């Protein structure tokens, strides 16, 4: 297949494998989440047909519309800011929610997942860099919430997610990603969602187990459409 997305997809997979090898990590140490937000279902199907099964979306309505028409064995990851009135819709489609940023939201997911008879996996979004403009819990609040979540039945907190500040240099990236890794180790949780198109190699070197990659696979997003 000569589709440019498939070439880019295969290149990203090679780069992930190389980054894992350079870090002395197992070849299956980091899962690729193909971030398909804003891209049409035809693009998702092309990458699906090349073997990818995990896709990331950041809007509840877009996720619902895509999940309704795409193959049922896709594992959907919700990576956007989750508003409380969208929890029911997201819980119905997403296997993993990467962006839980408050105790209230986690409690709501627990309740609604119970009502809908589904199990959801959740990651707590942490603001390691301390940037004022970003969503996310402080590391201290995330640690506390991880502890609180142990008694929950319908949502299982398995780790943490973070985003590096835009334009961060290598030192800052390492500081942010290693900070998340230390937090996860302290809490005894294994999943670390960190790294996007521009910084996933550094994230893998710092211990990422899930990388969320859009642009490097699908190309530049056009938000004007
Ligand atoms: C859009 C998005 C990504 C993918 O970013 P790229 O730079 O296109 O790889 C990853 N994570 C989150 C939370 C996003 O919103």
């Amino acid at each position: 297949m000569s589709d440019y997305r498939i070439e880019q997809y295969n290149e990203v997979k090679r780069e992930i494998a190389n980054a894992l090898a350079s870090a002395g990590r197992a070849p299956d140490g980091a899962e690729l989440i193909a971030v398909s937000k804003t891209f049409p279902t035809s693009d998702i199907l092309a990458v699906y047909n090349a073997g990818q099964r995990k896709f990331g979306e950041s809007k509840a309505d877009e996720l619902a519309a895509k999940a309704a028409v795409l193959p049922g064995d896709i594992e959907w990851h919700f990576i956007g800011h989750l508003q409380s009135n969208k929890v029911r819709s997201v819980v119905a489609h997403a296997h993993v929610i990467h962006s839980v940023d408050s105790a209230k939201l986690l409690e709501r997911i627990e309740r609604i997942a119970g009502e809908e008879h589904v199990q959801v996996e959740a990651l707590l979004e942490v603001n390691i860099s301390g940037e004022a403009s970003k969503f996310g819990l402080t590391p201290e609040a995330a640690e506390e919430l991880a502890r609180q979540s142990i008694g929950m039945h319908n949502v299982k907190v398995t780790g943490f997610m973070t985003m590096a500040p835009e334009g961060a240099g290598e030192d800052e990236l390492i500081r942010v990603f290693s900070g998340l890794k230390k937090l996860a180790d302290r809490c005894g949780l294994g999943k670390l969602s960190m790294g996007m198109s521009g910084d996933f190699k550094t994230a893998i070197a710092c211990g990422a187990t899930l990388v969320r990659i859009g642009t490097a696979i699908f190309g530049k997003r056009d938000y004007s459409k």
Side-chain angles (χ1 to χ4, degrees):
M1 196 181 236
S2 64
D3 189 312
Y4 72 94
R5 286 160 308 204
I6 305 311
E7 284 169 24
Q8 290 174 172
Y9 168 65
N10 287 324
E11 176 61 20
V12 164
K13 286 206 301 184
R14 266 194 300 276
E15 288 176 355
I16 290 172
N18 289 340
L20 284 165
S22 310
R25 299 181 53 197
D28 60 354
E31 294 178 306
L32 170 59
I33 312 304
V35 176
S36 48
K37 64 187 185 193
T38 79
F39 289 98
T41 52
S42 53
D43 285 6
I44 300 176
L45 265 184
V47 175
Y48 174 92
N49 286 329
Q52 181 67 18
R53 290 295 178 272
K54 295 169 199 226
F55 291 89
E57 289 285 338
S58 62
K59 294 220 159 71
D61 298 347
E62 189 176 343
L63 168 60
K66 287 174 170 173
V69 297
L70 285 164
D73 64 343
I74 288 181
E75 184 181 295
W76 293 104
H77 290 241
F78 189 80
I79 62 171
H81 183 62
L82 179 50
Q83 289 164 315
S84 56
N85 63 337
K86 301 288 186 183
V87 168
R88 198 171 300 273
S89 166
V90 166
V91 154
H93 302 290
H95 299 76
V96 187
I97 301 173
H98 289 229
S99 42
V100 176
D101 61 359
S102 74
K104 225 174 132 180
L105 180 60
L106 188 65
E107 282 156 14
R108 194 177 174 87
I109 295 169
E110 162 73 359
R111 175 172 62 76
I112 291 177
E115 289 169 7
E116 300 291 327
H117 305 288
V118 291
Q119 294 282 323
V120 207
E121 185 178 334
L123 305 171
L124 305 180
E125 182 171 355
V126 187
N127 183 348
I128 296 281
S129 63
E131 256 192 325
S133 63
K134 283 245 175 104
F135 294 114
L137 298 151
T138 63
E140 296 73 29
E143 195 170 344
E144 172 63 27
L145 188 52
R147 233 193 322 272
Q148 266 174 259
S149 75
I150 290 169
M152 295 183 173
H153 302 291
N154 310 304
V155 61
K156 189 171 168 53
V157 172
T158 56
F160 302 96
M161 180 269 237
T162 199
M163 275 190 275
E166 228 168 286
E170 191 66 13
D171 290 352
E172 174 74 351
L173 290 177
I174 292 171
R175 194 178 68 77
V176 167
F177 295 148
S178 316
L180 199 71
K181 168 76 173 147
K182 281 193 201 110
L183 173 65
D185 288 348
R186 229 177 14 248
C187 298
L189 293 175
K191 296 231 180 152
L192 284 173
S193 169
M194 55 190 196
M196 308 176 18
S197 292
D199 56 22
F200 70 88
K201 292 173 197 163
T202 306
I204 288 172
C206 295
T209 68
L210 297 144
V211 289
R212 311 176 309 267
I213 300 180
T215 310
I217 297 169
F218 294 102
K220 246 176 118 73
R221 284 179 291 274
D222 180 0
Y223 286 105
S224 66
K225 281 191 290 197

